[in-house]
Amino acid sequence: MFVEGVKIEIVPLEFKNGKIRFIDVTKLPEELVYVETDNVERLAKAIERMEIRGAPAIGVAAALGLAMVAYNSKAKTYSKLAKELYAAAERLRKTRPTAYNLFWAINRIIKKFNELKNKPLDIIKSEIVREALSMQLEDIKNNISIGKHGASLLKDGDTVLTHCNTGSLATAGYGTALGIIRYAYHVQKKKIKVIATETRPLLQGARLTAWELVREKIPATLVTDNMVGYVMSKGMVTKVIVGADRILLDGRVANKIGTYSIAVLAKHHNIPFYIAAPTSTIDPKSKEIPIEHRKPEEVKTVLGKIATAPREIEVLNPAFDITPPELITAIITEKGIARPP
Ligand code: MRU
């Protein structure tokens, strides 16, 4: 598929005839598995188990999930449909607490639903589906704009370090930080290279970013998270670009655990540190960011398969950390590049 003349190679979420088809990213890089469901509980579980993950992808999945509920509803009154939609929205809101896009997407669909109150039920249902589908397309278009703006910061010879996975698999398609890399390399033909961190504990960098980069033949090297200081001190990194799960108005950014350490190292080594995210990641109200803490097993094993620590050991497993604005060179959104005042 092409959007605004740009090829979208991987579309991780699709809505068709009342069903959602998604790529279960926990199976990558070994297998490319698609799952189909018309059940909102199954979708909520997919987000919790991180079969669908990445802030924009979670948001689009929730919007499509509510569209799925509306499309399949047998409700004969507005209030019955409202009950079904609100219950689904409440369940989806409980899946993951940090990514703001989830709440943004649910609120947008519910707002649309409320605006349609006086319309016939079949119109309401089809308008909800239309809204969710347009949010999906908007996300891809926003990624391409982020790609264009961000790529203007890159030049031949740059090596960009990125963390976690911010690519097609983390969005409706194309990607944010990885979208910039994709745009610079494939559209603008810039001679850039990538260093991808493996991103413990769930290895989104090793399993997903490396998979996307290899698939698209973008020159890339994988490093473990604790090699970031080494590669920076050797002059091997010229820019850092990462994504975001929530951005506060004071400029603090929550992103995958490890982002803060990378930002501190980038500051020490005088390397520009960029955040790339759509404006749907910006939380206009909160003063603090809820940080998700996940199961200890994720740290004590490799992907639940091989034990790497004694079972009895205490574990800390925050999924995100917060980077303060003084460590951020600029934030790249679909609207442009925002630098600190
Ligand atoms: O826990 P995950 O894999 O959902 O965390 C994802 C990240 O931290 C990404 O950097 C962020 O969501 C941006 S994805 C475009």
Side-chain angles (χ1 to χ4, degrees), residues 50 53-56 58 96 163-167 170-171 176 204 243-245 255-256 292 319-320:
M50 293 173 63
R53 38 68 51 202
I58 296 171
R96 295 194 72 194
H163 187 52
C164 196
N165 173 263
T166 60
T171 60
T176 57
Q204 292 93 326
D245 280 78
N255 191 49
K256 179 53 53 195
E292 176 185 13
F320 304 96

Side-chain angles (χ1 to χ4, degrees), residues 41 56 76 105 107 211 225 258 309:
E41 180 56 31
K76 293 276 181 287
N107 292 345
W211 183 80
D225 299 340

Side-chain angles (χ1 to χ4, degrees), residues 33 159 179 235 237 247 317 323 328:
V33 175
T159 299
V237 178
I247 301 173
N317 189 14
T323 300
I328 300 169

Side-chain angles (χ1 to χ4, degrees), residues 158-160 195 221 223 230-238 271:
D158 268 338
T159 299
V160 181
I195 292 183
T221 303
V223 297
Y230 175 87
V231 290
M232 284 187 178
S233 70
K234 295 280 177 199
M236 293 164 76
V237 178
T238 57
I271 298 167

Side-chain angles (χ1 to χ4, degrees), residues 25 47 50 52-58 96 99 101 139 143 162-171 175-178 199 202 204 207-208 242-246 254-257 259 276-278 281 292 294 319-321:
V25 303
I47 297 172
M50 293 173 63
I52 300 169
R53 38 68 51 202
I58 296 171
R96 295 194 72 194
N101 309 58
D139 188 62
N143 287 340
T162 192
H163 187 52
C164 196
N165 173 263
T166 60
S168 304
L169 297 166
T171 60
T176 57
L178 211 51
T199 320
L202 296 180
Q204 292 93 326
R207 293 186 303 103
L208 310 178
V242 296
D245 280 78
R246 195 183 288 233
N255 191 49
K256 179 53 53 195
I257 190 77
T259 301
T281 309
E292 176 185 13
R294 295 186 59 91
F320 304 96
D321 58 24

